[in-house]
Amino acid sequence: MFNNVTSKQWMGLAAFLFAIFVAVPMFIAATGRTDFYFTLTMVALLSIASGGVWLTFYIGRINIGQGAFALAGAYASAVMITKFSFSFWLALPLAGVFSALVAVLIGLPILRLRGVYFAMITLVLTEVVKLTSLALDITNGARGITNIPRPDGLSVFGLTIIPDFGAMENPKLGFYYLACVLMVLAFATLYRIVNSRLGHLCRSMQQNEELASSIGVNISHIRLIVFAISSFFGGIGGAMVASLTQSVYPNTFQVKDSVDFMLNVFLGGLGYVFGPMLGTLVIYFGWDLLFVAKEFQLLIYSTILIILMLILPNGILSLRLKKPGSDVAKAADASGLELKEGK
């Protein structure tokens, strides 16, 4: 499965896992800044949704609609838990599946579009889902869904695997660990996809769809599969955010969030699997740190982003993982933590 991963990369992965599962909790415990748990949990969850956006870029589509699928997943999970008494552990994957099914229905007509046309269509999807949630009785309209129960315990053959979050002394820590586990699984899945036969076919489509079609690649089928997987990640991220905040409203995810998901991918690096994770971390913390600028916060934030994208068109990760070639297609054919060779 990961035969092309070098020993250096395994060491880097081990260091990363140690950092998020051991070092960070130890640091927070030592400093007493338990509020960091919520911030880092949000970073992990938003990076999952951003990872889905990265996957659609991998087939040459600019996706600015991930907020729609995150909101759909959040509402699906909330409705199943509060109105139908589903267990959180069942509602979570079903929320992802629901978002994927919505993506299939939407993707059938719009995935034929390319470039700015596809981007503009996806840009309005978040607003469409928002207006739909306002109109439906099951979503409680503008009042949203509140008092969502925290995740219950998970037991297998009477053995408790995950304790009840409601009974935890520190549920923030529980959510942090859960979000990190889901993030690791999501990006491991992405890495596996891009190094699989599906990933090779996606690369051929990214280079030239007509040529790929001429050699027998079912590009419509592949586009739909990738778009559904991307939206599944969005639904999982949205469902987790709803559980974390114990509420979901029509404006929980807005058009701005969809744009941010795309920016996370650009800033981290389009040619690198783990780019969305780094991009989310930088943008989320960067926005919070600039709060001291008050009315100039947005101006400074936008200026810094523009400068970074001009200086680093292939993302922050290209600083250490740069390969010959500067365009997105060549970056997508790079290696290591990137896409193609896995070196």
Side-chain angles (χ1 to χ4, degrees), residues 113-226:
L113 302 174
R114 299 183 187 180
V116 68
Y117 303 105
F118 180 82
M120 290 301 100
I121 291 293
T122 58
L123 183 62
V124 304
L125 290 181
T126 306
E127 197 66 22
V128 170
V129 175
K130 174 185 175 180
L131 293 175
T132 302
S133 65
L134 283 168
L136 296 177
D137 291 334
I138 197 169
T139 57
N140 294 339
R143 293 175 298 161
I145 300 175
T146 57
N147 298 319
I148 301 173
R150 286 174 175 161
D152 50 344
L154 180 63
S155 300
V156 177
F157 301 115
L159 177 64
T160 300
I161 305 299
I162 302 175
D164 189 335
F165 278 46
M168 283 184 178
E169 182 179 349
N170 186 2
K172 291 181 180 179
L173 178 61
F175 274 111
Y176 169 76
Y177 277 131
L178 177 58
C180 286
V181 168
L182 291 175
M183 180 182 68
V184 170
L185 291 175
F187 281 90
T189 302
L190 285 176
Y191 185 87
R192 177 54 185 153
I193 288 174
V194 301
N195 287 283
S196 67
R197 181 174 181 272
L198 177 61
H200 298 321
L201 293 175
C202 288
R203 275 195 291 277
S204 69
M205 290 170 53
Q206 187 186 65
Q207 298 295 324
N208 191 313
E209 285 192 355
E210 288 75 15
L211 182 59
S213 179
S214 70
I215 60 175
V217 177
N218 189 336
I219 59 176
S220 298
H221 185 61
I222 293 175
R223 283 196 302 245
L224 204 58
I225 290 176
V226 170

Side-chain angles (χ1 to χ4, degrees), residues 5-338:
V5 180
T6 66
S7 58
K8 184 178 179 179
Q9 290 173 346
W10 280 120
M11 291 175 62
L13 176 61
F16 172 72
L17 294 177
F18 177 82
I20 63 174
F21 288 112
V22 180
V24 169
M26 288 177 63
F27 172 79
I28 293 176
T31 59
R33 293 295 304 272
T34 56
D35 55 304
F36 279 168
Y37 280 130
F38 179 84
T39 302
L40 292 172
T41 300
M42 285 297 295
V43 168
L45 299 179
L46 296 178
S47 70
I48 294 173
S50 299
V53 175
W54 177 87
L55 192 59
T56 56
F57 275 104
Y58 201 51
I59 57 170
R61 293 296 185 273
I62 303 173
N63 183 1
I64 322 178
Q66 189 73 320
F69 302 108
L71 187 58
Y75 266 112
S77 173
V79 167
M80 284 187 281
I81 292 172
T82 60
K83 298 186 182 296
F84 298 102
S85 301
F86 276 47
S87 166
F88 166 82
W89 305 107
L90 178 60
L92 179 62
L94 288 179
V97 171
F98 176 78
S99 293
L101 291 176
V102 172
V104 169
L105 294 176
I106 296 174
L108 284 171
I110 72 170
L111 281 170
R112 299 176 182 273
L113 302 174
R114 299 183 187 180
V116 68
Y117 303 105
F118 180 82
M120 290 301 100
I121 291 293
T122 58
L123 183 62
V124 304
L125 290 181
T126 306
E127 197 66 22
V128 170
V129 175
K130 174 185 175 180
L131 293 175
T132 302
S133 65
L134 283 168
L136 296 177
D137 291 334
I138 197 169
T139 57
N140 294 339
R143 293 175 298 161
I145 300 175
T146 57
N147 298 319
I148 301 173
R150 286 174 175 161
D152 50 344
L154 180 63
S155 300
V156 177
F157 301 115
L159 177 64
T160 300
I161 305 299
I162 302 175
D164 189 335
F165 278 46
M168 283 184 178
E169 182 179 349
N170 186 2
K172 291 181 180 179
L173 178 61
F175 274 111
Y176 169 76
Y177 277 131
L178 177 58
C180 286
V181 168
L182 291 175
M183 180 182 68
V184 170
L185 291 175
F187 281 90
T189 302
L190 285 176
Y191 185 87
R192 177 54 185 153
I193 288 174
V194 301
N195 287 283
S196 67
R197 181 174 181 272
L198 177 61
H200 298 321
L201 293 175
C202 288
R203 275 195 291 277
S204 69
M205 290 170 53
Q206 187 186 65
Q207 298 295 324
N208 191 313
E209 285 192 355
E210 288 75 15
L211 182 59
S213 179
S214 70
I215 60 175
V217 177
N218 189 336
I219 59 176
S220 298
H221 185 61
I222 293 175
R223 283 196 302 245
L224 204 58
I225 290 176
V226 170
F227 193 50
I229 295 173
S230 164
S231 303
F232 177 85
F233 286 148
I236 292 294
M240 278 296 301
V241 169
S243 181
L244 175 66
T245 59
Q246 295 187 274
S247 62
V248 57
Y249 299 95
N251 62 352
T252 295
F253 290 98
Q254 305 179 59
V255 173
K256 176 188 178 300
D257 297 298
S258 293
V259 174
D260 284 343
F261 290 139
M262 181 185 65
L263 289 176
N264 295 340
V265 176
F266 279 132
L267 187 61
L270 277 173
Y272 308 92
V273 176
F274 302 114
M277 192 187 302
L278 178 59
T280 304
L281 179 68
V282 172
I283 287 182
Y284 197 95
F285 272 94
W287 176 257
D288 287 349
L289 290 173
L290 289 173
F291 182 75
V292 295
K294 298 181 180 179
E295 65 267 23
F296 299 106
Q297 181 184 21
L298 182 58
L299 176 62
I300 298 173
Y301 171 80
S302 303
T303 303
I304 292 174
L305 281 183
I306 292 171
I307 293 173
L308 283 174
M309 290 182 183
L310 288 173
I311 297 174
L312 300 170
N314 292 330
I316 297 174
L317 283 178
S318 64
L319 284 171
R320 297 285 296 181
L321 303 171
K322 187 174 290 186
K323 288 273 180 174
S326 58
D327 58 71
V328 171
K330 289 181 180 179
D333 284 333
S335 60
L337 297 177
E338 313 132 336

